[in-house]
Amino acid sequence: MKDKTVLVTRPNYDPTTSYIYYWSQKTIDLAKRKNAKVLEISGDRVTKKEFEGRMKKMKPDFLMLNGHGLADRVAGQHHKIILDKSNSHITKGVVVSALSCESARELGPHAVLKGARSYIGYEESFIFF
């Protein structure tokens, strides 16, 4: 069995993305302990171009998206869209987990129709209290 590859996006530019940036380190550490190959896109590198390039080149088994979102999109650094319906085909064969508001409402089902193995996310707003 081949080693699993995990791609994690970690924008970090406001209080919400800063919290998620640091919390996601625990998931990254666990994946590494389980011998997964972990690829990270962090900070100003969380752009659509960088994201698409890593997805195409590395073909991850698991995608952990962190960032702000709406029903039809997930953003990277500074609210710049990295995944939406126009490029959701890039998740074909991938298990997607999105810590992003609302993206499971429209983007998730659309990604599954385009071949994602699954899309785990939120249909409503994800709020810190």
Side-chain angles (χ1 to χ4, degrees), residues 25-111:
Q25 187 62 50
K26 289 186 179 280
T27 305
I28 291 167
D29 294 342
L30 175 63
K32 287 179 178 178
R33 283 196 307 274
K34 299 289 184 179
N35 296 318
K37 180 178 181 178
V38 178
L39 312 165
E40 294 180 57
I41 309 172
S42 299
D44 287 334
R45 295 194 65 150
V46 188
T47 64
K48 188 173 192 173
K49 180 179 178 181
E50 184 78 22
F51 170 70
E52 288 180 342
R54 295 275 184 105
M55 288 293 292
K56 289 174 185 173
K57 183 176 182 183
M58 304 310 293
K59 300 185 186 338
D61 303 287
F62 183 81
L63 172 61
M64 185 175 158
L65 291 168
N66 294 297
H68 292 290
L70 292 172
D72 62 347
R73 70 193 75 167
V74 174
Q77 191 75 355
H78 302 297
H79 295 284
K80 302 276 170 83
I81 298 167
I82 61 170
L83 182 66
D84 61 17
K85 291 178 180 180
S86 71
N87 68 344
S88 65
H89 63 278
I90 204 161
T91 63
K92 184 176 183 178
V94 178
V95 174
V96 180
S97 174
L99 186 53
S100 178
C101 291
E102 302 177 23
S103 71
R105 189 178 318 151
E106 293 178 25
L107 179 59
H110 186 74

Side-chain angles (χ1 to χ4, degrees), residues 7-22:
L7 176 60
V8 182
T9 65
R10 298 176 75 196
N12 186 1
Y13 62 93
D14 65 5
T16 300
T17 58
S18 181
Y19 292 142
I20 294 169
Y21 176 90
Y22 289 103

